[in-house]
Amino acid sequence: ATGDWPRFRGPGGLGISAAKNLPVTWEPDQNMLWKTELPGPGSSSPIVVGERVFVTSYSGYGIDPKQPGDSANLKRHLLCIGAGSGKILWQREVAAKLPEAAYEGFIQRHGYASSTPASDEERVFCFFGKSGVFAFDLNGEQLWHAEVGSGTHQWGGAGASPIVYKDLVIANASIESESLVALDRRTGKEVWRAGGIREAWDTPHLVELPGGGTELVVSVYDRVLGFDLDTGKQLWNCDVLNKHNVNPSPVAHGGVIYCLLSGPQRTSFAIRAGGRGDVTASHVVWKLSKNANVSSPIYHDGHLYFANEQGVAYCLNARTGEIAYEERLTPRPAEFYASPVLADGKLYYVSRQGRTYVLAAKP
């Protein structure tokens, strides 16, 4: 009744659902419709296409930090689950291309299935890092496979999720090849590739321009970049002086892009889209020394909402960057990595420990 949720952060990558009358608490015997065991853990988000839920997980390696096992046994899984029943309708396994990043350090926080699938309502696209991008039909038949690079990172790769634009599937292969890669969604053939994508774990954002047209925006190591979607040509760059890896994905509204930049400078930016060349001096709307290190923001009704990894929730005036509120959530969560969801006038924040915090979406 509320439509599909076909990609990371739902329609438009905005984290906003049309669902109504949602609960604010749930327990095994309260407001819980079903619970389904997966073949292994995963940090990806589920997507919904019609009456089917798709989600990824991994198995065979990196389950127990004390005994990670043999990486030769690492597999990724794509699961199709009945939305009403919770029954697993089918699952497909993909063996990892080796060598993979070792299960040590930061990768233990999220594992090997952190990229959320995307769908064009006919296919499901999965990004598994150096193992590549895979396309399946809705019945689980593999349609194609495309490699986008061979790099790995001690923090793990494939944190960014694929997006679909017209006939393209676009993957941020920063870790694998320092590239954005656009593939034909029907065949997997590479259409274009754009370089210079350094230390970027964020999912690219499609920005609709006020005068018409759409451009692709991604935050990277020390700048924010805008690209032409048809050719992959870089249109503009904004120097944000961050010089740190980036995790939060941008959002946009009314031709203004909102970026949270990871790292010690803890910076948020608002940048007008549609520029050309270096727009650092011309298109920055505001800058603020507040951010979230991992999770992405939500734009709603003239305000920007996010929570940082220490469990502090923020509401900013989207026009000026002024802080409307800064509130520590209680009980204090250990960390936030997941991005919030807005539904039915409520903001849902989920901590890494599984606790959900619900706030009214108002300043």
Side-chain angles (χ1 to χ4, degrees):
T2 58
D4 288 354
W5 192 263
R7 49 154 293 178
F8 175 62
R9 310 206 74 204
L14 300 173
I16 299 175
S17 170
K20 301 293 183 183
N21 302 315
L22 298 179
V24 296
T25 60
W26 45 87
E27 301 291 344
D29 59 351
Q30 179 190 21
N31 295 323
M32 188 82 74
L33 180 60
W34 51 258
K35 182 178 180 179
T36 300
E37 184 175 355
L38 304 178
S43 300
S44 62
S45 301
I47 64 170
V48 181
V49 182
E51 296 300 317
R52 304 183 187 197
V53 176
F54 297 93
V55 70
T56 63
S57 68
Y58 72 96
S59 67
Y61 173 70
I63 309 300
D64 183 348
K66 295 180 180 179
Q67 295 181 320
D70 186 345
S71 63
N73 297 322
L74 176 61
K75 295 182 176 67
R76 272 76 167 219
H77 304 261
L78 172 63
L79 297 106
C80 177
I81 301 170
S85 66
K87 178 181 178 181
I88 296 178
L89 304 179
W90 54 259
Q91 62 174 301
R92 299 294 178 264
E93 296 180 356
V94 175
K97 182 179 180 181
L98 301 177
E100 260 287 2
Y103 190 67
E104 58 189 22
F106 278 97
I107 200 170
Q108 294 179 354
R109 299 190 179 193
H110 59 88
Y112 298 95
S114 299
S115 177
T116 297
S119 177
D120 62 359
E121 298 185 346
E122 297 178 8
R123 308 163 188 85
V124 179
F125 307 101
C126 302
F127 181 27
F128 293 137
K130 68 176 292 183
S131 296
V133 179
F134 293 79
F136 299 86
D137 68 19
L138 299 189
N139 294 315
E141 179 183 351
Q142 183 177 320
L143 302 175
W144 54 258
H145 164 231
E147 295 187 2
V148 294
S150 59
T152 61
H153 194 281
Q154 62 178 339
W155 295 346
S161 301
I163 60 174
V164 178
Y165 174 77
K166 294 183 178 178
D167 287 333
L168 301 178
V169 178
I170 302 170
N172 173 5
S174 172
I175 304 309
E176 295 73 25
S177 59
E178 294 193 351
S179 303
L180 289 175
V181 181
L183 307 169
D184 186 297
R185 66 185 175 95
R186 295 183 177 88
T187 66
K189 181 180 178 181
E190 187 171 311
V191 178
W192 56 255
R193 180 180 292 247
I197 312 301
R198 295 182 56 201
E199 296 196 33
W201 277 265
D202 55 311
T203 298
H205 192 63
L206 299 170
V207 180
E208 295 182 4
L209 303 177
T214 307
E215 62 186 23
L216 186 71
V217 173
V218 63
S219 296
V220 301
Y221 174 75
D222 58 355
R223 60 195 61 193
V224 180
L225 305 175
F227 292 88
D228 181 279
L229 278 153
D230 294 323
T231 65
K233 177 184 177 182
Q234 183 179 309
L235 301 174
W236 56 264
N237 67 276
C238 182
D239 190 343
V240 294
L241 301 175
N242 192 52
K243 300 190 183 305
H244 197 278
N245 65 82
V246 180
N247 300 300
S249 300
V251 296
H253 180 83
V256 177
I257 306 154
Y258 302 98
C259 302
L260 307 180
L261 304 179
S262 310
Q265 292 181 316
R266 300 195 172 279
T267 307
S268 305
F269 269 83
I271 305 166
R272 288 197 309 276
R276 294 293 183 271
D278 187 342
V279 301
T280 307
S282 59
H283 281 58
V284 174
V285 180
W286 53 257
K287 175 183 176 182
L288 180 71
S289 295
K290 301 290 182 182
N291 80 334
N293 192 48
V294 180
S295 74
S296 308
I298 282 179
Y299 176 94
H300 172 64
D301 197 20
H303 292 83
L304 198 68
Y305 297 89
F306 59 91
N308 67 17
E309 65 276 22
Q310 286 82 31
V312 178
Y314 291 93
C315 173
L316 309 183
N317 183 309
R319 184 177 60 84
T320 65
E322 295 176 345
I323 298 174
Y325 69 68
E326 181 176 353
E327 176 182 338
R328 181 168 295 282
L329 303 176
T330 57
R332 181 176 178 174
E335 282 183 311
F336 272 117
Y337 275 19
S339 298
V341 172
L342 171 67
D344 199 18
K346 306 176 186 69
L347 291 159
Y348 290 80
Y349 295 96
V350 181
S351 76
R352 295 189 65 235
Q353 289 67 41
R355 182 184 293 272
T356 301
Y357 299 78
V358 184
L359 281 68
K362 60 182 180 181

